[in-house]
Structures are given as C-alpha cells and as structure tokens.
Amino acid sequence: MDIKIESSWKEHLKEEFEKPYFTDLTSFVKAEYTTQKIYPPGKLIFNAFEKCPFDKVKVVILGQDPYHEPGQAHGLCFSVPDGISLPPSLQNIFKEIKNDLEIPVPKSGNLERWAEQGVFLLNATLTVRAHQAGSHQKKGWETFTDNVIRMLADSGEHLVFLLWGAYAQRKGELINTNKHLVLSSVHPSPLSAHRGFFGNHQFSKANEYLFAYGKKPINW
C-alpha cells in the first residue's frame, strides 16, 4: 500500500503498511473522512512522522487522541497551530518547563520547533471525529503506533520516552529500560497535574540524559 509519509519512516514501516489490519484501518479512515468531519486534516495525519524523521528521533512524547475541536489538531500530540489558544494540558506543560528550566511560557502552542529538534510527538490514535473524543480508538491505530514505539525502542539508541498518564505508561511495556530512559508521571491535565506532573523536572532530566550520551539537548 502506498502511504504518503516521510521517506525514512516509509522504509521502516513498509511491511506494516501491507498487513491486513492496516488495510482495514485505511478503509475505515477513508470512509470516515468521506462521511464525517474528521481531525486532523487528512494531509496532516502523519505530520509527527514528517516533522521528525526516524533517525532524528531523540525524545518520544506519547499522547492519546488528536484534539477534536476545530482548528486544534495538526498531527502532533499536545501541539496546536499558531494562533490557536493553548489547551489546558499544554498550558501545564509550559508551566512545568518554566519551573524546571526557567524558560518563559511561549505565546504559541505550535510544537513543530520541538519536532524539528528530534522530539517525536506521537498520538496513539492518529484521527478522531469532530467533538467525539476516542471515536477512532480500537480501529487499528493502536496496533500501528505500538509497533512504531516498539520499532524505535528496538532500533534506537539512548532515546528518552516521556509517558504521562496511565494510558501512556502502559506503553512502557514495549520499551527496554536498560537501553533507554523512560520517565513517567501523571498526565498534565488540570485534573491530575498537581498530583505529580508539576515538579517532575522531566525536561531537564531528558536533556541531562541526552547530553550524557553525546546528543544535543532539546531547546524546550
């Protein structure tokens, strides 16, 4: 199956795209875009892959669903395009970065600048119906993104995985912690951030780890 995706990822995932579950997933997603309002725009489904080629990945941040309200989702977890108000979880992420690294909170929630430095911003489910959180879960996306995580964990060297909340933490089973740094905490959502996201210093810890293994730290 010819999937439009960044070339290094296409090479690594070409066998995945031929599996029966992915054929079924593609049929489902195409039908949804034809009959429903779906986010993100079709050309941005694989934006996380486009902005962060396979061999450039240094840090993986895992989200769950794309944002499901107008104008927010653009294929990078937690990120919103320039000019869109910061969602609450992203506000809390920026608050922790300010607390941890004394970096001022930016006006824009567009995290493409992170992706271009090697931060792979992956949602477990890559599409969603408008106003219906979780509507494209258990259709095949999780199988695909689990295999992406497994591939990175197997092929990569000294990556940092940031797993926020119970859903993301379950993905830790796919990662060899002797080979990579896995940092877990509660989700940055306002419902939970005060229970351990604030003060977790994961952004500085990630940079310390990258530096220790000869990689350029992220300018958060």
Side-chain angles (χ1 to χ4, degrees):
M1 185 180 300
D2 186 27
I3 300 296
K4 293 181 179 177
I5 194 170
E6 190 275 333
S7 59
S8 66
W9 281 106
K10 190 166 191 172
E11 181 62 27
H12 282 89
L13 292 168
K14 58 186 178 183
E15 293 182 10
E16 203 67 26
F17 295 144
E18 299 303 324
K19 293 179 180 178
Y21 89 86
F22 198 87
T23 301
D24 293 343
L25 172 62
T26 301
S27 297
F28 167 76
V29 171
K30 285 182 176 177
E32 286 285 283
Y33 273 93
T34 302
T35 60
Q36 306 287 332
K37 182 64 178 175
I38 305 298
Y39 298 125
K43 65 181 181 180
L44 296 178
I45 292 173
F46 295 108
N47 200 25
F49 300 80
E50 295 294 334
K51 299 298 183 186
C52 191
F54 186 88
D55 296 326
K56 302 294 185 184
V57 176
K58 294 190 284 190
V59 178
V60 180
I61 298 178
L62 187 68
Q64 190 164 351
D65 263 9
Y67 294 121
H68 51 81
E69 296 302 328
Q72 293 182 311
H74 67 143
L76 307 176
C77 73
F78 293 105
S79 179
V80 291
D82 294 326
I84 299 296
S85 298
L86 302 183
S89 291
L90 186 55
Q91 291 181 38
N92 287 338
I93 289 169
F94 286 152
K95 285 178 185 176
E96 175 55 22
I97 292 172
K98 182 180 180 182
N99 172 62
D100 188 12
L101 295 166
E102 298 182 354
I103 295 173
V105 174
K107 290 184 171 63
S108 174
N110 189 335
L111 303 182
E112 288 181 359
R113 59 190 179 83
W114 290 5
E116 289 161 0
Q117 297 176 75
V119 181
F120 186 47
L121 296 161
L122 180 67
N123 276 315
T125 302
L126 298 188
T127 54
V128 70
R129 281 189 185 184
H131 320 301
Q132 295 182 43
S135 50
H136 282 190
Q137 291 178 8
K138 300 180 181 177
K139 302 295 184 182
W141 277 130
E142 294 93 338
T143 302
F144 174 70
T145 53
D146 279 1
N147 287 337
V148 168
I149 294 166
R150 193 178 287 113
M151 195 174 293
L152 282 168
D154 290 347
S155 300
E157 294 290 338
H158 305 303
L159 304 181
V160 180
F161 291 83
L162 302 181
L163 306 181
W164 300 331
Y167 183 88
Q169 288 168 24
R170 287 196 290 273
K171 307 297 185 180
E173 299 171 1
L174 308 172
I175 304 160
N176 181 348
T177 54
N178 295 318
K179 189 179 178 186
H180 306 289
L181 178 64
V182 176
L183 297 173
S184 300
S185 85
V186 298
H187 196 275
S189 160
L191 298 175
S192 56
H194 62 284
R195 298 202 309 268
F197 184 80
F198 292 136
N200 66 24
H201 299 287
Q202 290 189 356
F203 300 96
S204 59
K205 289 175 182 176
N207 277 352
E208 288 164 6
Y209 182 84
L210 293 174
F211 183 78
Y213 286 98
K215 298 184 179 186
K216 186 177 180 180
I218 305 300
N219 178 12
W220 299 104

